[in-house]
C-alpha cells in the first residue's frame, strides 16, 4: 500500500497546477499525481494550435465570468481570489512570459506549448511532486477511520489524507464519483462548429464576415462577432459562443435547427433605405461588382445571386421586390444547420459534478471531507479563448491554498 499525504488524480493542467502549488506551500507533504496516460498535459500540448492559449486578457471578475455558460455565478468569488493577473504573475515568476494577442487571447512569448509543459515538469521536479504514469484509477473509497481515501488503480493501491480529482471530462471517473453520492450533470459537447449545406456558402471556405449577429430561431440564443465560412459550414467566435451557451438546448434538438444571420448588424428597414440611396448613386454600375457594407467580395456575390439578381443587373434597374430581397439576405438570412463538427482539438464538454455539491470557497466536496475538485471535472465550461484554462488555474490554486491551510 503506497501512502501519500495528497494524491491528485489527473495529470493535466489543473492537476499539475494544484500539485505544484501544494508542494511549494508545504514542502513536507508527500504529493503524488496519478496520470492514466503514458504522459500528461496532453490538452496543454495541443491547445491553441500547439501554442497553448494560457488565459484571456480580461481583468475584471464580473466581466470574466460572462464567458462561462455554466459556472458564471459560482466562479465570481473564486476569481476575486485568483484570476488573470495572478496567472500572468505566477508564470512570470517561473520564467515564462506571456503576451496578449489582438483578440485578447494570451500565449507564451515563445508561441510554444512546450514552454508551459517544461515549466510544469521542472516545477514538479523541483518541489518533489511524484508523477506516476499509466495509473488508471478503478476504485475510490473514503476511509472512515482516517478521514482519508483509498485509491485503487489497475496496478497499485494508494492511501492519502486528501484527494484532488482533476481528470477533466472523464466518464469513468464521473461514474466513481457517482458511486460516492455525487450528482453528475450529463455531459454534452460544448464547443463545436455548425454543419450547413447551402448554395450561399458553397465554394467560399475561408471567407470571414467580421461582425455579424446570429440567432437560433425558436430560442432566445444569440451571439455576435466574426463568422468564418468553412468547407462544411460555419465557425469562428459568433458560432462557437452559440455552441457553448446553447450546448444543452442544441443537444436536445439533435443539432438540427435554423439560424438567422444579420451580416451587417443593421435592421431590414435601415438596410433597405441604404440600398435605395445606392440605387440612385451607383445607377449605371452592376450590383454584383459593387460590394457594399465592407463585406468580403465573395460573400457579397453569393448574397446578390441569392436575391434573384443576375450578374449583369444594374443598380438603377432594381425594383422594389429585388431591393427587399437583397436587404433580407443581408439582414435576415436563414440557414439550416444539420449537425455539428468538433472545433479543432479544443474539445470541451458541458457536464460534470453538480455545482451545488461543491464549496466554492475551497473547491471541496460538500459530501465528503478532504475530497477536492479542479478543472473541467466539475460542471463548468467556457467559450474558446483561454477561459477553460483560467478556470483550471483558479480552481487548482484555491484547492492548493485550502489544503495548505
Amino acid at each position: 500500500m503506497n501512502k501519500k499525504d495528497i494524491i491528485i488524480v489527473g495529470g493535466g493542467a489543473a492537476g499539475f497546477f494544484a500539485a505544484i502549488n501544494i508542494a511549494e506551500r508545504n514542502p513536507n507533504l508527500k504529493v503524488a499525481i496519478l496520470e492514466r496516460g503514458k504522459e500528461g498535459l496532453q490538452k496543454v500540448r495541443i491547445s491553441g494550435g500547439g501554442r497553448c492559449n494560457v488565459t484571456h486578457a480580461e481583468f475584471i471578475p464580473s466581466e470574466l465570468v460572462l464567458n462561462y455558460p455554466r459556472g458564471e455565478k459560482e466562479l465570481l468569488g473564486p476569481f476575486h481570489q485568483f484570476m488573470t493577473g495572478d496567472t500572468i504573475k505566477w508564470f512570470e515568476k517561473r520564467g515564462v512570459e506571456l503576451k496578449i494577442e489582438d483578440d485578447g487571447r494570451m500565449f507564451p512569448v515563445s508561441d510554444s506549448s512546450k514552454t508551459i509543459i517544461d515549466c510544469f515538469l521542472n516545477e514538479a521536479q523541483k518541489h518533489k511532486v511524484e508523477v506516476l504514469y499509466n495509473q488508471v484509477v478503478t476504485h475510490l473509497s473514503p476511509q472512515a477511520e482516517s478521514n482519508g481515501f483509498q485509491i485503487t488503480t489497475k496496478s497499485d493501491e494508494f492511501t492519502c489524507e486528501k484527494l484532488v480529482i482533476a481528470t477533466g471530462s472523464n466518464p469513468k471517473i464521473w461514474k466513481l464519483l457517482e458511486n460516492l453520492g455525487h450528482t453528475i450533470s450529463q455531459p454534452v459537447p460544448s464547443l463545436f462548429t455548425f454543419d450547413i449545406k447551402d448554395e450561399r456558402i458553397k465554394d467560399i471556405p475561408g471567407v470571414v464576415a467580421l461582425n455579424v449577429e446570429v440567432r437560433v430561431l425558436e430560442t432566445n440564443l444569440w451571439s455576435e462577432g466574426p463568422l468564418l465560412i468553412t468547407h462544411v459550414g460555419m465557425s469562428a467566435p459568433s458560432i462557437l459562443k452559440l455552441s457553448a451557451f446553447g450546448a444543452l438546448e442544441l443537444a436536445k434538438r439533435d443539432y438540427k435547427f435554423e439560424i438567422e444571420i444579420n451580416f451587417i448588424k443593421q435592421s431590414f428597414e435601415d438596410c433597405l433605405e441604404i440600398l435605395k440611396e445606392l440605387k440612385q448613386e451607383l445607377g449605371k454600375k452592376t450590383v454584383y461588382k459593387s460590394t457594399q457594407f465592407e463585406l468580403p467580395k465573395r460573400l457579397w456575390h453569393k448574397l446578390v445571386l441569392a436575391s434573384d439578381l443576375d450578374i449583369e443587373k444594374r443598380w438603377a434597374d432594381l425594383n422594389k421586390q429585388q431591393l427587399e430581397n437583397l436587404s433580407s439576405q443581408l439582414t435576415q438570412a436563414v440557414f439550416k444547420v444539420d449537425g455539428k463538427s468538433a472545433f479543432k482539438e479544443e474539445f470541451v464538454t458541458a457536464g460534470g459534478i453538480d455545482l451545488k455539491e461543491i464549496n466554492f470557497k475551497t473547491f471541496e466536496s460538500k459530501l465528503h471531507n478532504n475530497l477536492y475538485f479542479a478543472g473541467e471535472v466539475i460542471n463548468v465550461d467556457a467559450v474558446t479563448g483561454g477561459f477553460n484554462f483560467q478556470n483550471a488555474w483558479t480552481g487548482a490554486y484555491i484547492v492548493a491554498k485550502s489544503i495548505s491551510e
Side-chain angles (χ1 to χ4, degrees):
M1 186 74 76
N2 281 315
K3 191 174 180 331
K4 309 287 176 199
D5 296 313
I6 316 290
I7 282 181
I8 289 123
V9 180
F16 265 88
F17 205 73
I20 291 162
N21 281 294
I22 292 166
E24 188 177 37
R25 282 165 170 266
N26 288 41
N28 303 326
L29 292 177
K30 277 180 157 170
V31 181
I33 293 173
L34 305 183
E35 163 56 37
R36 67 179 170 169
K38 56 180 193 295
E39 51 184 326
L41 299 166
Q42 284 311 301
K43 241 182 173 178
V44 172
R45 188 181 303 285
I46 60 178
S47 146
R51 296 195 298 143
C52 190
N53 182 185
V54 177
T55 185
H56 200 97
E58 174 53 77
F59 299 93
I60 301 162
S62 58
E63 296 288 319
L64 182 59
V65 294
L66 300 178
N67 296 286
Y68 297 84
R70 280 144 295 272
E72 178 186 333
K73 189 171 95 252
E74 290 80 5
L75 288 175
L76 187 58
F79 282 154
H80 276 95
Q81 282 196 58
F82 189 94
M83 62 173 285
T84 317
D86 307 293
T87 301
I88 297 167
K89 271 193 220 123
W90 193 94
F91 281 105
E92 272 181 0
K93 193 177 157 193
R94 288 154 185 85
V96 177
E97 208 180 322
L98 304 180
K99 59 172 179 176
I100 303 175
E101 305 220 324
D102 291 346
D103 58 5
R105 291 182 304 161
M106 298 193 69
F107 293 90
V109 169
S110 66
D111 271 332
S112 168
S113 55
K114 191 174 179 303
T115 310
I116 304 297
I117 291 169
D118 290 347
C119 167
F120 283 162
L121 294 175
N122 293 339
E123 289 292 311
Q125 199 178 3
K126 178 172 143 193
H127 296 293
K128 300 186 173 51
V129 171
E130 202 178 345
V131 187
L132 303 167
Y133 295 103
N134 299 310
Q135 292 286 349
V136 178
V137 173
T138 55
H139 197 68
L140 299 172
S141 52
Q143 295 183 299
E145 64 283 2
S146 67
N147 239 347
F149 287 85
Q150 185 172 334
I151 299 106
T152 308
T153 70
K154 282 186 174 168
S155 53
D156 296 281
E157 292 221 338
F158 300 86
T159 60
C160 63
E161 286 173 26
K162 293 179 193 289
L163 175 61
V164 182
I165 306 290
T167 45
S169 306
N170 181 331
K172 286 183 175 149
I173 297 293
W174 280 333
K175 190 77 209 138
L176 297 181
L177 293 167
E178 251 181 337
N179 296 342
L180 293 180
H182 272 290
T183 311
I184 305 299
S185 301
Q186 271 320 297
V188 295
S190 170
L191 280 184
F192 49 85
T193 61
F194 292 176
D195 294 352
I196 298 169
K197 286 188 179 66
D198 192 295
E199 269 307 313
R200 289 166 292 178
I201 59 171
K202 200 178 160 200
D203 308 325
I204 57 167
V207 165
V208 176
L210 278 177
N211 198 5
V212 308
E213 204 169 83
V214 190
R215 295 181 181 279
V216 178
L217 296 179
E218 295 175 26
T219 73
N220 52 10
L221 293 166
W222 73 279
S223 76
E224 55 191 357
L227 175 105
L228 167 70
I229 291 164
T230 69
H231 289 281
V232 292
M234 294 179 181
S235 183
S238 62
I239 297 296
L240 295 168
K241 262 185 244 171
L242 273 187
S243 78
F245 282 90
L248 305 177
E249 182 62 46
L250 302 181
K252 265 189 231 155
R253 292 162 186 258
D254 198 24
Y255 308 106
K256 290 173 176 46
F257 50 92
E258 289 187 322
I259 55 173
E260 181 183 276
I261 300 178
N262 187 332
F263 286 105
I264 59 173
K265 284 178 82 174
Q266 305 236 15
S267 71
F268 172 84
E269 291 76 15
D270 289 349
C271 177
L272 192 55
E273 287 311 309
I274 295 168
L275 294 178
K276 285 176 184 168
E277 285 166 23
L278 291 170
K279 177 179 153 104
Q280 303 302 322
E281 288 166 23
L282 304 173
K284 291 200 167 91
K285 293 190 168 160
T286 65
V287 180
Y288 186 83
K289 282 196 175 148
S290 35
T291 308
Q292 299 299 320
F293 303 104
E294 296 180 9
L295 283 176
K297 195 186 292 176
R298 290 193 293 163
L299 178 59
W300 172 262
H301 289 169
K302 289 280 194 180
L303 296 177
V304 168
L305 295 175
S307 309
D308 289 335
L309 305 178
D310 63 48
I311 291 181
E312 302 304 326
K313 180 66 85 176
R314 296 183 316 162
W315 283 96
D317 301 333
L318 292 183
N319 62 30
K320 181 171 178 277
Q321 187 58 55
Q322 290 166 324
L323 285 166
E324 285 178 2
N325 288 355
L326 184 53
S327 182
S328 182
Q329 286 297 336
L330 289 164
T331 62
Q332 315 169 329
V334 175
F335 291 84
K336 251 181 126 106
V337 177
D338 190 23
K340 62 170 178 56
S341 301
F343 172 63
K344 299 189 184 157
E345 297 91 355
E346 316 254 342
F347 36 76
V348 169
T349 308
I353 297 157
D354 192 317
L355 303 182
K356 290 197 273 300
E357 298 172 358
I358 299 160
N359 173 356
F360 280 92
K361 288 190 170 71
T362 58
F363 281 75
E364 188 175 12
S365 161
K366 286 183 181 175
L367 311 189
H368 296 276
N369 291 338
N370 300 325
L371 174 62
Y372 296 82
F373 305 111
E376 274 180 55
V377 68
I378 67 178
N379 188 20
V380 165
D381 61 287
V383 299
T384 180
F387 300 105
N388 281 299
F389 274 142
Q390 187 54 55
N391 165 48
W393 314 138
T394 296
Y397 180 84
I398 292 172
V399 163
K401 195 168 156 239
S402 315
I403 285 175
S404 307
E405 285 167 359

